[in-house]
Amino acid sequence: MTDDELTVDVVVIGAGPAGEVVAGRCGDGGLQTVIVERELVGGECSYWGCIPSKTLIRPGDVLAAARRVPGAAQAVNGTLDVAAALARRDEMTSHWHDDGQLPWLAEHHVDLVRGVGRLTGPREVEVTAADDSRRRLVARRAVVVATGTRAAIPPIPGLAEAEPWDNRTATQTSTLPRRLVAIGGGAVGCELAQAFARMGVAVTLVEGGPRLLAREEPFASDQVAAGLTADGVRVLLGAATTGVRRAADGEVTVDLADGTRLTADEILVAAGRRPATADLGLDTLDAGMHPGHPIEVDDQQRAVAVPDGWLYAVGDANGRALLTHMGKYQARIAADVILGKNAVDRASRNVIPRVTFTDPQVCAVGRTEAQAREDGVAVRVVEVATASVAGASTEGEDIAGSCRLVIDTDRDVVVGATFTGPAMAELLHSATVAVAGGVPLGTLWHAVPSFPTVSEVWLKLLEEAGL
């Protein structure tokens, strides 16, 4: 039974970063906007993803950075204070309360409705609250889906029954296991494997493919594997998991296809994400969309299968680029279109910046060499060592890493860039500007990097390119 009905201009389902941005922008534009959230305002990124994971990674990074610097290295004594690291994580997540997020919604004239939102027809969303009361929201102009993704559990025999950790369990834990097996060598698996290893956990990372970070340049995969190994992580590549079992005493056994048997106290699954669209009511629209799958959108973030252009999907829900910053970018586009502007997505295919916060960090934008060649782009590649510039030397000794540009030879512009090394993330935006703007190499030559900074690798790269 529906207890009451509210008609507004825009209904946003999901109050994670993407949902907040589209709702706030619509509210600022004078549209009556409601946002629906089943859990915490701020979403996955704020409480179980980017913020807690990077907070847990940071202490180990700082210690590693100090140990690379003569003078500072001698002052680093003892081990990481795990209790303090977990306390800082709790502070950064506001102890999993969203009270601090609510004033922002009010400032942008957005009303919050708590509960599970489900489409029940064109422009209609039914919200079921925790007390089972229901409210019907009707959108005059648009409904925006911003429901994100959930961790995928592969169909490995016994895995689901073993009650594995996912990103949420791992980033929210208050106690550390003595031994941890992590399945999945993507960004989440690599980051958390290193973070836990640096907090004293014996970690084994199992990846079924031939390398880690399969979508990045091969040299980045090799360097991250070396970095993990140096921190004591046992890295197993080409290792298919065939079975998992949790004993009565809690110990987990993991069997691999080659006969290897691993034992641990916990198992972490970091083997991909699935769109949180299964119970969204997509089937009620009779538009051929499939619950549990991404919502296909056009370059204005409109659902292509829905007539009249009233349904939008932003962020992970549309499957274009599963990154918080890309979801927020798409949200700005969707909001502008809803407000009547002619905004178009130009980045979600080939200008996606991404950082894997391991040590070394992997920072990339645009296409890898292999991706560019698969797309039929004639390219050449230039590469220099991160340590080839004086700025890297000031960061410490034995700075590992590489910097690569993928250059479109027909247009003489950068279509992809990868930087690896410690603390390289802040270098990435310059490459993103170059790729997004299609800046010719001859123009980039006049963008002079400061000395002594790591950004001088741009000068080295352009010299390698023949300028």
Side-chain angles (χ1 to χ4, degrees):
M1 178 178 178
T2 301
D3 296 324
D4 63 320
E5 178 176 309
L6 176 65
T7 298
V8 297
D9 294 315
V10 180
V11 176
V12 180
I13 308 176
E20 285 182 311
V21 168
V22 71
R25 205 169 177 95
C26 286
D28 288 345
L31 297 182
Q32 187 181 1
T33 304
V34 166
I35 195 165
V36 179
E37 176 53 49
R38 65 169 65 194
E39 294 183 302
L40 298 176
V41 174
E44 191 83 9
C45 180
S46 298
Y47 302 102
W48 303 285
C50 310
I51 298 303
S53 66
K54 278 51 178 180
T55 302
L56 292 174
I57 287 166
R58 182 62 177 158
D61 272 353
V62 172
L63 287 176
R67 288 175 179 138
R68 282 189 281 264
V69 181
Q74 288 73 12
V76 179
N77 300 306
T79 57
L80 189 151
D81 186 332
V82 173
L86 296 179
R88 175 61 173 166
R89 182 273 321 269
D90 294 348
E91 179 185 353
M92 290 293 290
T93 57
S94 300
H95 300 269
W96 290 276
H97 293 287
D98 63 4
D99 298 355
Q101 301 271 27
L102 305 186
W104 187 91
L105 293 178
E107 289 170 8
H108 293 271
H109 315 290
V110 177
D111 292 323
L112 171 65
V113 175
R114 292 193 183 272
V116 178
R118 188 175 187 274
L119 292 159
T120 54
R123 295 184 171 83
E124 296 180 0
V125 176
E126 183 180 82
V127 183
T128 303
D131 62 1
D132 288 330
S133 64
R134 298 182 184 181
R135 190 175 192 182
R136 182 169 176 258
L137 305 176
V138 180
R140 301 185 192 96
R141 190 170 297 195
V143 174
V144 184
V145 175
T147 49
T149 54
R150 295 289 183 266
I153 304 297
I156 297 170
L159 179 59
E161 293 77 10
E163 299 181 344
W165 280 11
D166 58 14
N167 67 290
R168 289 191 166 206
T169 323
T171 57
Q172 199 171 3
T173 186
S174 58
T175 58
L176 299 186
R178 184 169 60 88
R179 302 164 299 168
L180 175 69
V181 171
I183 297 179
V188 174
C190 290
E191 288 179 356
L192 291 178
Q194 191 167 50
F196 279 105
R198 286 178 164 180
M199 288 189 286
V201 178
V203 180
T204 300
L205 179 60
V206 179
E207 167 54 43
R211 64 186 180 95
L212 304 176
L213 303 178
R215 297 180 181 178
E216 302 299 349
E217 297 282 10
F219 71 80
S221 304
D222 295 341
Q223 291 172 12
V224 169
L228 292 173
T229 301
D231 279 322
V233 178
R234 182 185 180 190
V235 179
L236 302 179
L237 301 177
T241 303
T242 57
V244 177
R245 183 175 65 88
R246 187 182 289 273
D249 63 1
E251 183 175 78
V252 178
T253 301
V254 180
D255 291 321
L256 305 182
D258 65 359
T260 299
R261 173 164 287 181
L262 307 172
T263 56
D265 302 296
E266 294 293 348
I267 179 170
L268 165 66
V269 177
R273 310 283 297 177
R274 55 180 176 80
T277 60
D279 59 351
L280 192 60
L282 296 177
D283 51 325
T284 67
L285 301 182
D286 194 27
M289 292 186 290
H290 302 289
H293 291 261
I295 298 173
E296 183 183 358
V297 297
D298 61 19
D299 286 341
Q300 293 190 315
Q301 315 306 321
R302 288 190 177 100
V304 297
V306 177
D308 302 327
W310 60 268
L311 183 65
Y312 296 73
V314 296
D316 291 5
N318 67 31
R320 284 191 160 197
L322 307 189
L323 295 161
T324 297
H325 47 277
M326 295 306 297
K328 293 167 71 173
Y329 163 74
Q330 294 165 7
R332 293 192 293 272
I333 290 168
D336 283 357
V337 173
I338 293 167
L339 288 164
K341 302 176 184 178
N342 186 29
V344 176
D345 183 347
R346 295 172 51 187
S348 292
R349 290 187 177 87
N350 295 320
V351 194
I352 301 172
R354 53 211 184 264
V355 179
T356 302
F357 288 86
T358 45
D359 184 5
Q361 289 182 350
V362 178
C363 314
V365 63
R367 287 171 278 198
T368 63
E369 178 185 4
Q371 290 163 352
R373 294 191 189 282
E374 288 171 7
D375 290 343
V377 181
V379 297
R380 62 188 177 111
V381 171
V382 295
E383 185 175 323
V384 300
T386 303
S388 65
V389 295
S393 298
T394 66
E395 296 292 318
E397 298 178 324
D398 301 322
I399 300 296
S402 304
C403 302
R404 169 180 286 192
L405 298 182
V406 180
I407 299 168
D408 181 331
T409 56
D410 292 334
R411 296 188 296 136
D412 205 34
V413 299
V414 178
V415 294
T418 299
F419 305 101
T420 64
M424 296 289 282
E426 299 302 332
L427 187 59
L428 184 60
H429 193 60
S430 56
T432 304
V433 171
V435 175
V439 183
L441 296 188
T443 301
L444 287 176
W445 180 250
H446 297 286
V448 182
S450 300
F451 180 88
T453 65
V454 180
S455 62
E456 262 205 313
V457 294
W458 274 103
L459 177 58
K460 294 286 187 180
L461 288 164
L462 292 173
E463 288 175 342
E464 285 292 316
L467 276 75

